[in-house]
PDB file of all heavy atoms in Angstrom:
ATOM      1  N   GLU A 195      22.049 -37.556   5.138  1.00  0.00           N
ATOM      2  CA  GLU A 195      22.656 -36.536   6.005  1.00  0.00           C
ATOM      3  C   GLU A 195      21.604 -35.535   6.472  1.00  0.00           C
ATOM      4  O   GLU A 195      21.589 -35.126   7.621  1.00  0.00           O
ATOM      5  CB  GLU A 195      23.784 -35.833   5.234  1.00  0.00           C
ATOM      6  CG  GLU A 195      25.023 -36.702   5.052  1.00  0.00           C
ATOM      7  CD  GLU A 195      26.095 -36.037   4.197  1.00  0.00           C
ATOM      8  OE1 GLU A 195      25.810 -34.915   3.694  1.00  0.00           O
ATOM      9  OE2 GLU A 195      27.206 -36.601   4.073  1.00  0.00           O
ATOM     10  N   ALA A 196      20.750 -35.139   5.496  1.00  0.00           N
ATOM     11  CA  ALA A 196      19.674 -34.187   5.865  1.00  0.00           C
ATOM     12  C   ALA A 196      18.758 -34.819   6.907  1.00  0.00           C
ATOM     13  O   ALA A 196      18.369 -34.192   7.889  1.00  0.00           O
ATOM     14  CB  ALA A 196      18.894 -33.779   4.622  1.00  0.00           C
ATOM     15  N   LEU A 197      18.438 -36.139   6.632  1.00  0.00           N
ATOM     16  CA  LEU A 197      17.565 -36.847   7.599  1.00  0.00           C
ATOM     17  C   LEU A 197      18.271 -36.988   8.947  1.00  0.00           C
ATOM     18  O   LEU A 197      17.643 -36.866  10.004  1.00  0.00           O
ATOM     19  CB  LEU A 197      17.162 -38.206   7.042  1.00  0.00           C
ATOM     20  CG  LEU A 197      16.099 -38.187   5.929  1.00  0.00           C
ATOM     21  CD1 LEU A 197      15.922 -39.581   5.337  1.00  0.00           C
ATOM     22  CD2 LEU A 197      14.765 -37.678   6.471  1.00  0.00           C
ATOM     23  N   SER A 198      19.607 -37.256   8.913  1.00  0.00           N
ATOM     24  CA  SER A 198      20.358 -37.391  10.167  1.00  0.00           C
ATOM     25  C   SER A 198      20.339 -36.064  10.937  1.00  0.00           C
ATOM     26  O   SER A 198      20.171 -36.046  12.177  1.00  0.00           O
ATOM     27  CB  SER A 198      21.811 -37.781   9.859  1.00  0.00           C
ATOM     28  OG  SER A 198      21.884 -39.099   9.408  1.00  0.00           O
ATOM     29  N   ALA A 199      20.553 -34.974  10.132  1.00  0.00           N
ATOM     30  CA  ALA A 199      20.519 -33.659  10.779  1.00  0.00           C
ATOM     31  C   ALA A 199      19.140 -33.395  11.377  1.00  0.00           C
ATOM     32  O   ALA A 199      19.003 -32.945  12.544  1.00  0.00           O
ATOM     33  CB  ALA A 199      20.879 -32.588   9.789  1.00  0.00           C
ATOM     34  N   GLN A 200      18.082 -33.717  10.599  1.00  0.00           N
ATOM     35  CA  GLN A 200      16.735 -33.544  11.103  1.00  0.00           C
ATOM     36  C   GLN A 200      16.465 -34.417  12.332  1.00  0.00           C
ATOM     37  O   GLN A 200      15.844 -34.027  13.305  1.00  0.00           O
ATOM     38  CB  GLN A 200      15.692 -33.830  10.003  1.00  0.00           C
ATOM     39  CG  GLN A 200      15.671 -32.776   8.914  1.00  0.00           C
ATOM     40  CD  GLN A 200      14.665 -33.129   7.804  1.00  0.00           C
ATOM     41  OE1 GLN A 200      14.023 -34.184   7.870  1.00  0.00           O
ATOM     42  NE2 GLN A 200      14.551 -32.267   6.840  1.00  0.00           N
ATOM     43  N   LEU A 201      16.988 -35.678  12.206  1.00  0.00           N
ATOM     44  CA  LEU A 201      16.787 -36.625  13.328  1.00  0.00           C
ATOM     45  C   LEU A 201      17.517 -36.119  14.556  1.00  0.00           C
ATOM     46  O   LEU A 201      17.006 -36.238  15.687  1.00  0.00           O
ATOM     47  CB  LEU A 201      17.301 -38.009  12.898  1.00  0.00           C
ATOM     48  CG  LEU A 201      16.998 -39.149  13.855  1.00  0.00           C
ATOM     49  CD1 LEU A 201      15.497 -39.330  14.013  1.00  0.00           C
ATOM     50  CD2 LEU A 201      17.608 -40.451  13.338  1.00  0.00           C
ATOM     51  N   GLN A 202      18.725 -35.541  14.336  1.00  0.00           N
ATOM     52  CA  GLN A 202      19.493 -34.986  15.473  1.00  0.00           C
ATOM     53  C   GLN A 202      18.682 -33.852  16.131  1.00  0.00           C
ATOM     54  O   GLN A 202      18.596 -33.781  17.360  1.00  0.00           O
ATOM     55  CB  GLN A 202      20.841 -34.441  14.970  1.00  0.00           C
ATOM     56  CG  GLN A 202      21.747 -33.923  16.062  1.00  0.00           C
ATOM     57  CD  GLN A 202      22.216 -35.013  17.017  1.00  0.00           C
ATOM     58  OE1 GLN A 202      22.374 -36.175  16.591  1.00  0.00           O
ATOM     59  NE2 GLN A 202      22.403 -34.665  18.282  1.00  0.00           N
ATOM     60  N   VAL A 203      18.087 -32.995  15.274  1.00  0.00           N
ATOM     61  CA  VAL A 203      17.244 -31.900  15.819  1.00  0.00           C
ATOM     62  C   VAL A 203      16.055 -32.458  16.589  1.00  0.00           C
ATOM     63  O   VAL A 203      15.709 -32.002  17.673  1.00  0.00           O
ATOM     64  CB  VAL A 203      16.777 -30.987  14.665  1.00  0.00           C
ATOM     65  CG1 VAL A 203      15.726 -29.980  15.166  1.00  0.00           C
ATOM     66  CG2 VAL A 203      17.940 -30.216  14.066  1.00  0.00           C
ATOM     67  N   VAL A 204      15.475 -33.522  15.932  1.00  0.00           N
ATOM     68  CA  VAL A 204      14.312 -34.173  16.585  1.00  0.00           C
ATOM     69  C   VAL A 204      14.742 -34.773  17.917  1.00  0.00           C
ATOM     70  O   VAL A 204      14.051 -34.660  18.934  1.00  0.00           O
ATOM     71  CB  VAL A 204      13.692 -35.232  15.661  1.00  0.00           C
ATOM     72  CG1 VAL A 204      12.700 -36.090  16.436  1.00  0.00           C
ATOM     73  CG2 VAL A 204      13.009 -34.573  14.488  1.00  0.00           C
ATOM     74  N   TYR A 205      15.928 -35.468  17.948  1.00  0.00           N
ATOM     75  CA  TYR A 205      16.421 -36.066  19.228  1.00  0.00           C
ATOM     76  C   TYR A 205      16.646 -34.985  20.294  1.00  0.00           C
ATOM     77  O   TYR A 205      16.284 -35.167  21.463  1.00  0.00           O
ATOM     78  CB  TYR A 205      17.709 -36.835  18.955  1.00  0.00           C
ATOM     79  CG  TYR A 205      17.496 -38.223  18.383  1.00  0.00           C
ATOM     80  CD1 TYR A 205      18.441 -38.797  17.519  1.00  0.00           C
ATOM     81  CD2 TYR A 205      16.354 -38.964  18.718  1.00  0.00           C
ATOM     82  CE1 TYR A 205      18.246 -40.080  16.987  1.00  0.00           C
ATOM     83  CE2 TYR A 205      16.165 -40.222  18.181  1.00  0.00           C
ATOM     84  CZ  TYR A 205      17.102 -40.772  17.337  1.00  0.00           C
ATOM     85  OH  TYR A 205      16.898 -42.022  16.811  1.00  0.00           O
ATOM     86  N   GLU A 206      17.313 -33.880  19.816  1.00  0.00           N
ATOM     87  CA  GLU A 206      17.561 -32.792  20.786  1.00  0.00           C
ATOM     88  C   GLU A 206      16.250 -32.215  21.315  1.00  0.00           C
ATOM     89  O   GLU A 206      16.099 -31.947  22.516  1.00  0.00           O
ATOM     90  CB  GLU A 206      18.408 -31.692  20.120  1.00  0.00           C
ATOM     91  CG  GLU A 206      19.858 -32.103  19.887  1.00  0.00           C
ATOM     92  CD  GLU A 206      20.639 -31.051  19.145  1.00  0.00           C
ATOM     93  OE1 GLU A 206      20.034 -29.974  18.839  1.00  0.00           O
ATOM     94  OE2 GLU A 206      21.849 -31.245  18.913  1.00  0.00           O
ATOM     95  N   HIS A 207      15.305 -32.012  20.370  1.00  0.00           N
ATOM     96  CA  HIS A 207      13.989 -31.498  20.786  1.00  0.00           C
ATOM     97  C   HIS A 207      13.290 -32.479  21.723  1.00  0.00           C
ATOM     98  O   HIS A 207      12.685 -32.055  22.740  1.00  0.00           O
ATOM     99  CB  HIS A 207      13.144 -31.243  19.523  1.00  0.00           C
ATOM    100  CG  HIS A 207      11.828 -30.594  19.827  1.00  0.00           C
ATOM    101  ND1 HIS A 207      11.709 -29.345  20.407  1.00  0.00           N
ATOM    102  CD2 HIS A 207      10.527 -31.035  19.639  1.00  0.00           C
ATOM    103  CE1 HIS A 207      10.444 -29.050  20.553  1.00  0.00           C
ATOM    104  NE2 HIS A 207       9.694 -30.077  20.087  1.00  0.00           N
ATOM    105  N   ARG A 208      13.413 -33.777  21.360  1.00  0.00           N
ATOM    106  CA  ARG A 208      12.803 -34.784  22.226  1.00  0.00           C
ATOM    107  C   ARG A 208      13.455 -34.794  23.594  1.00  0.00           C
ATOM    108  O   ARG A 208      12.798 -34.926  24.623  1.00  0.00           O
ATOM    109  CB  ARG A 208      12.927 -36.174  21.570  1.00  0.00           C
ATOM    110  CG  ARG A 208      12.291 -37.261  22.385  1.00  0.00           C
ATOM    111  CD  ARG A 208      12.515 -38.603  21.766  1.00  0.00           C
ATOM    112  NE  ARG A 208      12.065 -39.645  22.640  1.00  0.00           N
ATOM    113  CZ  ARG A 208      12.298 -40.938  22.487  1.00  0.00           C
ATOM    114  NH1 ARG A 208      13.031 -41.334  21.434  1.00  0.00           N
ATOM    115  NH2 ARG A 208      11.838 -41.833  23.316  1.00  0.00           N
ATOM    116  N   SER A 209      14.820 -34.643  23.607  1.00  0.00           N
ATOM    117  CA  SER A 209      15.552 -34.625  24.868  1.00  0.00           C
ATOM    118  C   SER A 209      15.094 -33.436  25.700  1.00  0.00           C
ATOM    119  O   SER A 209      14.863 -33.556  26.936  1.00  0.00           O
ATOM    120  CB  SER A 209      17.036 -34.539  24.583  1.00  0.00           C
ATOM    121  OG  SER A 209      17.751 -34.456  25.788  1.00  0.00           O
ATOM    122  N   ARG A 210      14.965 -32.267  25.056  1.00  0.00           N
ATOM    123  CA  ARG A 210      14.477 -31.077  25.782  1.00  0.00           C
ATOM    124  C   ARG A 210      13.066 -31.321  26.312  1.00  0.00           C
ATOM    125  O   ARG A 210      12.757 -30.964  27.441  1.00  0.00           O
ATOM    126  CB  ARG A 210      14.503 -29.852  24.882  1.00  0.00           C
ATOM    127  CG  ARG A 210      15.910 -29.264  24.694  1.00  0.00           C
ATOM    128  CD  ARG A 210      15.837 -27.824  24.157  1.00  0.00           C
ATOM    129  NE  ARG A 210      15.143 -27.735  22.889  1.00  0.00           N
ATOM    130  CZ  ARG A 210      15.713 -27.883  21.695  1.00  0.00           C
ATOM    131  NH1 ARG A 210      17.009 -28.168  21.580  1.00  0.00           N
ATOM    132  NH2 ARG A 210      15.001 -27.738  20.611  1.00  0.00           N
ATOM    133  N   LEU A 211      12.237 -31.918  25.408  1.00  0.00           N
ATOM    134  CA  LEU A 211      10.861 -32.188  25.842  1.00  0.00           C
ATOM    135  C   LEU A 211      10.804 -33.160  27.016  1.00  0.00           C
ATOM    136  O   LEU A 211      10.016 -33.002  27.947  1.00  0.00           O
ATOM    137  CB  LEU A 211      10.033 -32.740  24.664  1.00  0.00           C
ATOM    138  CG  LEU A 211       9.626 -31.732  23.611  1.00  0.00           C
ATOM    139  CD1 LEU A 211       8.912 -32.445  22.460  1.00  0.00           C
ATOM    140  CD2 LEU A 211       8.705 -30.680  24.200  1.00  0.00           C
ATOM    141  N   GLU A 212      11.694 -34.215  26.969  1.00  0.00           N
ATOM    142  CA  GLU A 212      11.739 -35.183  28.068  1.00  0.00           C
ATOM    143  C   GLU A 212      12.200 -34.523  29.373  1.00  0.00           C
ATOM    144  O   GLU A 212      11.638 -34.773  30.434  1.00  0.00           O
ATOM    145  CB  GLU A 212      12.676 -36.333  27.710  1.00  0.00           C
ATOM    146  CG  GLU A 212      12.045 -37.351  26.752  1.00  0.00           C
ATOM    147  CD  GLU A 212      12.989 -38.499  26.418  1.00  0.00           C
ATOM    148  OE1 GLU A 212      14.182 -38.396  26.820  1.00  0.00           O
ATOM    149  OE2 GLU A 212      12.526 -39.458  25.791  1.00  0.00           O
ATOM    150  N   ARG A 213      13.238 -33.619  29.247  1.00  0.00           N
ATOM    151  CA  ARG A 213      13.697 -32.919  30.451  1.00  0.00           C
ATOM    152  C   ARG A 213      12.577 -32.014  31.002  1.00  0.00           C
ATOM    153  O   ARG A 213      12.315 -31.979  32.209  1.00  0.00           O
ATOM    154  CB  ARG A 213      14.934 -32.079  30.118  1.00  0.00           C
ATOM    155  CG  ARG A 213      16.210 -32.906  30.016  1.00  0.00           C
ATOM    156  CD  ARG A 213      17.461 -32.028  30.098  1.00  0.00           C
ATOM    157  NE  ARG A 213      17.507 -30.992  29.065  1.00  0.00           N
ATOM    158  CZ  ARG A 213      18.018 -31.173  27.842  1.00  0.00           C
ATOM    159  NH1 ARG A 213      18.528 -32.377  27.481  1.00  0.00           N
ATOM    160  NH2 ARG A 213      18.048 -30.199  26.976  1.00  0.00           N
ATOM    161  N   SER A 214      11.941 -31.322  30.036  1.00  0.00           N
ATOM    162  CA  SER A 214      10.834 -30.455  30.452  1.00  0.00           C
ATOM    163  C   SER A 214       9.721 -31.251  31.086  1.00  0.00           C
ATOM    164  O   SER A 214       9.127 -30.870  32.107  1.00  0.00           O
ATOM    165  CB  SER A 214      10.323 -29.677  29.234  1.00  0.00           C
ATOM    166  OG  SER A 214       9.228 -28.853  29.600  1.00  0.00           O
ATOM    167  N   LEU A 215       9.418 -32.433  30.434  1.00  0.00           N
ATOM    168  CA  LEU A 215       8.382 -33.325  30.956  1.00  0.00           C
ATOM    169  C   LEU A 215       8.754 -33.834  32.350  1.00  0.00           C
ATOM    170  O   LEU A 215       7.913 -33.874  33.261  1.00  0.00           O
ATOM    171  CB  LEU A 215       8.147 -34.478  29.991  1.00  0.00           C
ATOM    172  CG  LEU A 215       7.066 -35.480  30.406  1.00  0.00           C
ATOM    173  CD1 LEU A 215       5.694 -34.805  30.495  1.00  0.00           C
ATOM    174  CD2 LEU A 215       7.009 -36.639  29.416  1.00  0.00           C
ATOM    175  N   GLN A 216      10.044 -34.190  32.511  1.00  0.00           N
ATOM    176  CA  GLN A 216      10.531 -34.666  33.805  1.00  0.00           C
ATOM    177  C   GLN A 216      10.369 -33.574  34.851  1.00  0.00           C
ATOM    178  O   GLN A 216       9.932 -33.834  35.987  1.00  0.00           O
ATOM    179  CB  GLN A 216      12.000 -35.102  33.690  1.00  0.00           C
ATOM    180  CG  GLN A 216      12.498 -35.923  34.866  1.00  0.00           C
ATOM    181  CD  GLN A 216      11.827 -37.292  34.922  1.00  0.00           C
ATOM    182  OE1 GLN A 216      11.411 -37.839  33.914  1.00  0.00           O
ATOM    183  NE2 GLN A 216      11.689 -37.828  36.118  1.00  0.00           N
ATOM    184  N   LYS A 217      10.764 -32.346  34.431  1.00  0.00           N
ATOM    185  CA  LYS A 217      10.651 -31.217  35.364  1.00  0.00           C
ATOM    186  C   LYS A 217       9.180 -30.977  35.712  1.00  0.00           C
ATOM    187  O   LYS A 217       8.825 -30.769  36.888  1.00  0.00           O
ATOM    188  CB  LYS A 217      11.237 -29.968  34.690  1.00  0.00           C
ATOM    189  CG  LYS A 217      11.250 -28.744  35.604  1.00  0.00           C
ATOM    190  CD  LYS A 217      11.855 -27.566  34.881  1.00  0.00           C
ATOM    191  CE  LYS A 217      11.785 -26.318  35.741  1.00  0.00           C
ATOM    192  NZ  LYS A 217      12.266 -25.123  35.018  1.00  0.00           N
ATOM    193  N   GLU A 218       8.325 -31.034  34.670  1.00  0.00           N
ATOM    194  CA  GLU A 218       6.888 -30.841  34.906  1.00  0.00           C
ATOM    195  C   GLU A 218       6.343 -31.924  35.819  1.00  0.00           C
ATOM    196  O   GLU A 218       5.507 -31.667  36.703  1.00  0.00           O
ATOM    197  CB  GLU A 218       6.123 -30.843  33.573  1.00  0.00           C
ATOM    198  CG  GLU A 218       6.276 -29.593  32.746  1.00  0.00           C
ATOM    199  CD  GLU A 218       5.617 -28.392  33.376  1.00  0.00           C
ATOM    200  OE1 GLU A 218       4.601 -28.556  34.075  1.00  0.00           O
ATOM    201  OE2 GLU A 218       6.145 -27.279  33.227  1.00  0.00           O
ATOM    202  N   ARG A 219       6.822 -33.169  35.579  1.00  0.00           N
ATOM    203  CA  ARG A 219       6.367 -34.278  36.430  1.00  0.00           C
ATOM    204  C   ARG A 219       6.797 -34.051  37.896  1.00  0.00           C
ATOM    205  O   ARG A 219       6.048 -34.300  38.834  1.00  0.00           O
ATOM    206  CB  ARG A 219       6.920 -35.605  35.924  1.00  0.00           C
ATOM    207  CG  ARG A 219       6.136 -36.175  34.771  1.00  0.00           C
ATOM    208  CD  ARG A 219       6.724 -37.470  34.290  1.00  0.00           C
ATOM    209  NE  ARG A 219       5.963 -38.029  33.186  1.00  0.00           N
ATOM    210  CZ  ARG A 219       6.394 -39.015  32.396  1.00  0.00           C
ATOM    211  NH1 ARG A 219       7.617 -39.507  32.581  1.00  0.00           N
ATOM    212  NH2 ARG A 219       5.629 -39.475  31.424  1.00  0.00           N
ATOM    213  N   GLY A 220       8.090 -33.595  38.047  1.00  0.00           N
ATOM    214  CA  GLY A 220       8.568 -33.299  39.407  1.00  0.00           C
ATOM    215  C   GLY A 220       7.732 -32.206  40.055  1.00  0.00           C
ATOM    216  O   GLY A 220       7.325 -32.343  41.227  1.00  0.00           O
TER     217      GLY A 220
END
């Protein structure tokens, strides 16, 4: 559960980073 929670945070952070990266790429 702790790992899932951490993974969820990591996914959300990755999602934000991907959006930010997409925006930066644009």
Side-chain angles (χ1 to χ4, degrees):
E195 287 175 356
L197 285 173
S198 290
Q200 289 178 0
L201 188 61
Q202 184 66 31
V203 170
V204 168
Y205 280 149
E206 287 176 1
H207 185 62
R208 181 184 172 191
S209 177
R210 283 197 302 273
L211 286 175
E212 281 181 352
R213 284 196 302 273
S214 178
L215 181 63
Q216 194 68 28
K217 184 180 176 185
E218 286 292 328
R219 279 180 179 166

